[in-house]
């Protein structure tokens, strides 16, 4: 008789059978009855045939079609490289930031405490080391429990099967549909997991599977793997976990939300004690050890997840973000954008950068001390090592962040738009040394003189593809003035650079052509505007009306310091994987872009700017030799100072981040300014940063050349000097191509003396601190 009944005792010596009332039972309960009916031998046969669930028959899935499905599943189960956190370090090994898609650090078994390995097995799969891929006893026990309750109260998956499921979730990544599919509780999914589990147990030892499981599983609060979990909850490595700590973490795996020790400490402690009891039950702890462990408080030393450049230390967020752009854009890190993104998000890399922590501190201190975060303007500074292109510091006043109410920004004012910056800023007269370098390379002498009138019409100038003509003669935008009414030539190169005379450099452009200026700019790293748009061949190009970034300008001046060798900006020294293998990085790329003679003349001329010109107040401690150039744009919306020693170049920009702020009658850093110039605004920032950055660094000097002065002008003379474009040198000088030097004079290693001619230059003092840096805004359109 198949109908179920129960036997009861009565006074009658015979037995009486009383039928039991029928109860509606769920399919899961029926499955459990089917399992018990089949028995151990039948269940074993079904499983060997490929049936993953004991309820297969009860649910209409025959052993044959299940076996066919089982055989159709490929057995080449592959475990993907686990997504791991990457760490970014400065040049001296200090951690800048940790970035990850999943916070995980894969560690070997010997870096895991034996306690966490045992605790995880005891609570998840106590017979793990005794059964194969499937635990037949566990299946029967779970099926019986579930059948009796009518619901799923106990699972039967082994730790190996759980590992397979976690691998499928890992493969799904951020694809939520794929994640849900990997977690769906279907017969097909269980069959697949079983076959893969069988394959794994053939290929790996139990210890290897356990190690993999502990590295892949999720412990809550963005912590994947036991190392990240140990650091998250207890601020220690997994190898140092104690009994109560190991039990707490092992208990989390079943339900990280329900047993969250930070949010639900009571539930977490109860679950921890359950794990400890299991360890006693399986004879891995003594009763005394268990009592001691249970008496211990949870003892959390919780650390919030720290992910991304937004968590970077001491103002290094912008440099961190620049490194991110390098990895995601340079083909050396992957052929496709998707490959490079995956490397950044999941690579588990140790990225050792060029950032010098002392110089970074100096730069950050200078921009935040001289310009307050609440000021209407901001400042940015980049420091570059001449001869290598290494970025040693990158700082700005506005902090890295997403809250505009705190004046935060994620726009890096130091770099071009493609690398996380904005559209850049007009450099003003900071650009004039590029014009001079182009002229010297074209064969003009260092003694070149131009009439340099106080104001002149924009001249007709040759371009790479034709000729630029002034169609606005007689109109406001059709002419170019000098800053001061007293600035009227003739001037030679030394005088014109020291006073920043606009008309001198326009006449120089006229002689050599705009194509030569553009090509020299390209060689010096000014390949485009900061926005990515091409440089326009307009006469105002040489006066700095096309937007650039501080990194680009710092590298221009670093090239002068390196005697004409340009090195592409370099942010990464070395990358290794967590197991110590080197990853290819962007190599140092340096090229000679001008002769040493040209560089020496530029260095000599820019030395004069800091000794007698617009930057004469910006000397460094110990009278350290410096060269540089100021720059201020129309309406004082941007002000610059780019300067360098022989071993460090830095460029500082000051201005309004968006659309510009006219810096007149303005308070910056608690100080009032009637007008801002390159020497009064960014100059002191540069001075403060460089003094601190170079403290204790031995002084190195430039090779300079002797450039004779032009003959003194006769005040009664009505002429204005040599005609524009003549290239004529004053009487008594000895120009020798790009180098104007005494024929028998060796290259000087004493630049201060070499930069001073036998008869000192008598320069008219500019009426403003930064005279000559004005560029009429209308000129940017030619």
């Amino acid at each position: 008789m198949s109908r179920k009944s129960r036997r009861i005792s009565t006074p009658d010596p015979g037995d009486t059978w009383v039928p039991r009332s029928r109860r509606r039972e769920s399919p899961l309960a029926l499955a459990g009855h089917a399992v018990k009916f089949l028995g151990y031998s039948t269940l074993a046969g079904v499983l060997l045939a490929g049936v993953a669930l004991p309820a297969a028959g009860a649910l209409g899935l025959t052993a044959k079609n299940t076996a066919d499905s089982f055989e159709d599943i490929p057995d080449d189960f592959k475990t993907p490289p686990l997504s791991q956190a990457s760490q970014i370090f400065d040049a001296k090994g200090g951690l800048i930031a940790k970035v990850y898609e999943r916070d995980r650090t894969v560690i070997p078994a010997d870096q895991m405490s034996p306690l966490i390995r045992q605790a995880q097995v005891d609570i998840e799969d106590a017979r793990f080391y005794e059964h194969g891929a499937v635990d037949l006893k566990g299946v029967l026990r779970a099926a019986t429990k579930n059948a009796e309750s009518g619901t799923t109260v106990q699972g039967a998956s082994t730790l190996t099967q759980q590992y397979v499921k976690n691998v499928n979730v890992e493969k799904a990544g951020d694809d939520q549909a794929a994640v849900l599919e990997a977690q769906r509780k279907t017969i097909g999914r269980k069959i697949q997991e079983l076959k893969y589990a069988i394959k794994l147990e053939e290929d790996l030892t139990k210890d290897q599977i356990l190690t993999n499981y502990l590295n892949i599983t999720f412990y809550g609060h963005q912590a994947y793997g036991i190392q990240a979990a140990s650091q998250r909850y207890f601020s220690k490595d997994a190898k140092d976990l104690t009994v109560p700590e190991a039990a707490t973490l092992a208990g989390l795996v079943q339900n990280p939300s329900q047993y969250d020790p930070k949010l639900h400490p009571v539930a977490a402690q109860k679950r921890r004690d359950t794990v400890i009891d299991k360890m006693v039950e399986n004879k891995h702890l003594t009763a005394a050890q268990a009592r001691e462990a249970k008496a211990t408080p949870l003892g959390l030393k919780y650390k919030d997840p720290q992910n991304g450049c937004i968590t970077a230390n001491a103002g290094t967020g912008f440099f961190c973000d620049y490194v991110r752009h390098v990895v995601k854009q340079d083909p050396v890190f992957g052929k496709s954008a998707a490959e490079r993104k995956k490397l950044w998000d999941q690579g588990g890399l140790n990225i050792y950068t060029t950032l010098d922590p002392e110089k970074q501190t100096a730069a950050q201190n200078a921009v935040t001390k001289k310009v307050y975060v609440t000021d209407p303007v901001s400042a940015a500074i980049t420091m570059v090592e001449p001869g290598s292109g290494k970025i040693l510091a990158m700082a700005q006043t506005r902090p890295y962040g997403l809250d505009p109410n705190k004046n935060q920004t994620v726009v890096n004012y130091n770099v071009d738009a493609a690398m996380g910056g904005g559209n850049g800023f007009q450099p003003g007269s900071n650009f004039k040394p590029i014009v001079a370098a182009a002229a010297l390379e074209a064969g003009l002498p260092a003694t070149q003189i131009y009439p340099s009138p106080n104001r002149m019409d924009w001249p007709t100038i040759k371009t790479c593809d034709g000729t630029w003509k002034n169609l606005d003669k007689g109109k406001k935008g059709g002419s170019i003035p000098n800053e001061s009414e007293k600035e009227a030539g003739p001037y030679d190169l030394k005088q014109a650079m020291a006073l920043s005379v606009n008309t001198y450099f326009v006449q120089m452009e006229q002689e050599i052509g705009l194509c030569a200026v553009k090509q020299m700019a390209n060689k010096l790293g000014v390949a485009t505007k900061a926005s990515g748009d091409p440089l326009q061949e307009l006469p105002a190009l040489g006066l700095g009306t096309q937007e650039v970034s501080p990194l680009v300008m710092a590298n221009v001046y670093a090239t002068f310091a390196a005697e004409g060798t340009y090195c592409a900006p370099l942010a990464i020294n070395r990358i290794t994987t967590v197991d110590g293998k080197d990853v290819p990085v962007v190599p140092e790329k340096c090229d000679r872009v001008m002769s040493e003679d040209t560089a020496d003349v530029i260095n000599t001329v820019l030395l004069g700017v800091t000794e007698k010109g617009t930057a004469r107040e910006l000397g460094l401690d110990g009278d350290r030799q410096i060269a540089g150039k100021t720059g201020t744009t129309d309406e004082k919306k941007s002000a610059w100072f780019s300067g360098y020693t022989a071993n460090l170049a830095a460029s500082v920009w000051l201005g309004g981040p968006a659309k510009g702020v006219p810096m007149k009658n303005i308070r910056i850093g608690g100080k009032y300014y009637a007008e801002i110039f390159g020497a009064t605004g960014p100059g002191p920032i540069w001075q403060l940063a460089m003094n601190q950055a170079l403290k204790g660094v031995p002084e190195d000097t430039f090779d300079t050349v002797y450039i004779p002065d032009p003959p003194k002008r006769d005040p009664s003379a009505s002429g204005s000097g040599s005609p524009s474009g003549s290239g004529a040198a004053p009487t008594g000088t000895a120009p020798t191509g790009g180098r104007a030097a005494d024929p028998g004079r060796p290259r000087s290693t004493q630049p201060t003396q070499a930069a001073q001619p036998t008869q000192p230059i008598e320069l008219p003092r500019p009426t403003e601190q930064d005279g000559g840096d004005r560029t009429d805004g209308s000129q940017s359109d030619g």
Side-chain angles (χ1 to χ4, degrees), residues 151-169:
T151 60
T152 302
V153 297
Q154 191 172 110
S157 292
T158 63
L159 192 146
T160 306
Q161 289 171 281
Q162 292 177 49
Y163 170 62
V164 170
K165 181 178 180 179
N166 281 335
V167 168
N168 288 330
V169 171

Side-chain angles (χ1 to χ4, degrees), residues 508-672:
M508 182 171 270
E509 281 185 313
Q510 182 186 18
E511 179 153 358
I512 64 174
L514 289 171
C515 193
V517 177
K518 181 180 178 181
Q519 289 174 347
M520 177 54 69
N522 292 165
K523 290 177 182 179
L524 289 167
V526 193
T528 64
K529 297 181 185 179
S531 63
D533 295 335
L535 292 175
Q536 296 175 286
E537 290 182 72
L538 302 171
L541 170 64
L543 305 184
T545 58
Q546 299 186 40
E547 295 81 2
V548 294
S549 63
L551 171 58
V552 166
M553 293 310 293
N555 232 16
V556 167
Y557 285 76
T559 304
F560 300 145
E563 295 191 293
T565 297
Y566 169 81
C567 298
L570 196 66
I572 300 171
N573 281 326
R574 185 185 179 212
I575 297 179
T576 65
T577 59
V578 289
D579 55 358
K581 296 179 181 177
D582 285 324
V583 174
V585 298
V586 181
E588 186 176 297
K589 187 177 185 301
C590 299
D591 298 295
R592 175 160 296 285
V593 297
M594 67 183 71
S595 69
E596 287 188 28
D597 287 350
T598 294
D600 291 345
V601 171
I602 295 294
N603 291 335
T604 303
V605 168
L606 294 182
L607 189 65
V609 174
T610 63
E611 290 182 340
K612 304 178 183 66
T614 56
R616 60 189 173 276
E617 304 296 330
L618 299 179
L620 296 183
D621 294 344
D623 293 327
R624 191 183 291 261
Q625 183 197 42
I626 62 171
K629 184 71 187 76
T630 54
T632 312
T633 65
D634 188 39
E635 297 183 24
K636 310 298 185 288
K637 289 185 177 180
S638 283
W640 293 71
F641 183 72
S642 297
Y644 55 101
T645 64
N647 46 22
L648 183 62
S651 184
V652 178
W653 159 82
L654 175 68
K659 297 183 179 179
V661 173
M663 291 184 288
K664 299 179 180 180
N665 299 314
I666 190 170
R667 187 170 291 277
I668 300 174
K671 183 179 178 181
Y672 172 79

Side-chain angles (χ1 to χ4, degrees), residues 18-43:
V18 180
R20 183 181 180 185
S21 60
R22 294 192 63 177
R23 180 182 67 183
R24 291 182 63 83
E25 297 186 330
S26 68
L28 188 59
L30 292 173
H33 300 326
V35 169
K36 286 191 282 188
F37 180 76
L38 287 170
Y40 280 98
S41 60
T42 305
L43 175 62

Side-chain angles (χ1 to χ4, degrees), residues 375-459:
D375 287 342
V377 296
S378 188
I381 178 174
T382 297
M383 293 181 175
V384 172
E385 180 180 74
S388 72
K390 290 182 178 180
I391 302 170
L392 304 181
M394 184 179 285
Q396 68 188 51
T397 306
R398 302 285 168 92
Y400 189 84
L402 300 170
D403 189 348
N405 294 324
K406 296 180 180 178
N407 294 294
Q408 294 176 348
T409 182
V410 292
V411 178
N412 187 349
Y413 302 142
N414 277 290
V415 301
D416 290 354
M419 301 303 290
N423 290 330
F425 313 97
Q426 292 182 346
S429 295
N430 240 221
F431 205 91
K432 288 174 181 173
I434 298 176
V435 180
L440 293 167
E441 285 291 286
L444 269 64
T447 52
Q448 179 68 42
I449 293 176
Y450 291 111
S452 314
N454 182 255
R455 177 182 284 271
M456 63 178 284
D457 288 334
W458 292 105

Side-chain angles (χ1 to χ4, degrees), residues 350-373:
N350 291 322
I351 303 173
Y352 300 96
T353 71
T354 60
L355 197 75
D356 183 301
E358 284 79 21
K359 291 176 176 58
Q360 175 65 26
T361 298
Q364 186 68 25
N365 176 60
V367 292
T368 53
K369 184 175 181 179
K370 294 292 186 180
V371 183
Y372 297 160
V373 69

